[in-house]
Amino acid sequence: MLINDTNVKSFRMTKVFRENTERINACDFNKNGDLLISSSDDDSIVVYDCEAGLPKRPIPSKKYGCDMIRFTRSGEQALHCSMKVDGKIGDSIRYLSLSDSKYIRYYTGHTKKVRSLAVSPIDKSFLSASADRTVRVWDLRSALCQGLIITPGNPVVDYDPDGLAFGIGIDSQIIGLYDIRNHEKGPFEMLKYECEGEFEWTHLKFSPNGKMILVSTNTSLILLVDAFSGVLLHTFTGHQNTKNVPLEASFSPDSKYVFCGSTDGRIHVWRTMDGEKLTTFTTDSSSDCIQCVQFNPKSFMLATASANMVFWLPPVDDD
């Protein structure tokens, strides 16, 4: 199905999963789009079969909690952050095998909460950004940090879709662009933004075509930036965020649309071409805080997460 205005407007709630007792704080599709994984404040991880439309057995993470769940490139493992401090070593990142629900490795070094995780699209590296004002470069095969970048403020991070560069959002006003092979030399480009109001950058995402960068905040403001020139293309507003939640906005696979939830149970959609709002979807409950919205990379399907996971599909043609 083509991703266009008409078809995007046709999304309907198709399945509601009530596997969690508390807020789902993150979700992620694997690269093939046949699996979705979520982490929740109730200390559980759930994997969903997108083709069958069914959840698999929850994986408990009671001792350390789970946040910012991400599939690795293979889709057979996942990374997630701890929500509970691990004694003296601070927040750690955990590498989970999904086939047997066992941890393969732990990555320690951050001394405060990990705010952002990004997995390389081309190899076994990943990035973590922490409230301790550092970004660390890791290799899945080693518990030792492969690189350390000290930042002047709280960072968020993401790889570009080619995996050759990455961006660090720093102190809610600067984006530094780094060459993954020479990151120790510092950024090759620094982009600075000044927007009115008090807010904190909570997520940074490159568009699938690599031409734009999406910056989510803890208010009802989203920034869309040209990844090459640094020009601020659009600001997306109008979605409610009265609780300063780190709402995670995301792109459609063709980079033409941006989706974001809200604290009043609505999902908002904007066009990246002109910055105009296309439509708004409404869930069954106005009290739901939709923190995560993700578009399936291979199928015309949307997933939204509050306390429940919801799959959205276009209407079925009876003909």
Side-chain angles (χ1 to χ4, degrees), residues 92-121:
S92 65
I93 301 160
R94 314 183 99 69
Y95 183 24
L96 175 66
S97 169
L98 298 175
S99 61
D100 56 10
S101 302
K102 293 182 178 179
Y103 286 103
I104 302 169
R105 193 166 288 115
Y106 305 146
Y107 307 92
T108 61
H110 286 301
T111 58
K112 292 185 179 179
K113 180 176 174 56
V114 177
R115 307 178 70 244
S116 184
L117 265 184
V119 176
S120 170

Side-chain angles (χ1 to χ4, degrees), residues 33-91:
D34 58 337
L35 296 175
L36 175 75
I37 196 167
S38 69
S39 55
S40 170
D41 290 353
D42 64 11
D43 303 334
S44 69
I45 295 164
V46 180
V47 179
Y48 298 85
D49 184 324
C50 299
E51 295 177 348
L54 295 171
K56 298 187 176 183
R57 179 176 57 86
I59 303 169
S61 183
K62 298 295 182 184
K63 186 175 181 180
Y64 299 111
C66 48
D67 190 13
M68 276 179 284
I69 193 89
R70 296 288 184 267
F71 273 110
T72 60
R73 190 167 64 97
S74 70
E76 298 174 357
Q77 300 90 26
L79 289 168
H80 73 81
C81 301
S82 303
M83 290 190 69
K84 304 169 186 178
V85 176
D86 303 350
K88 297 180 180 179
I89 59 175
D91 281 354

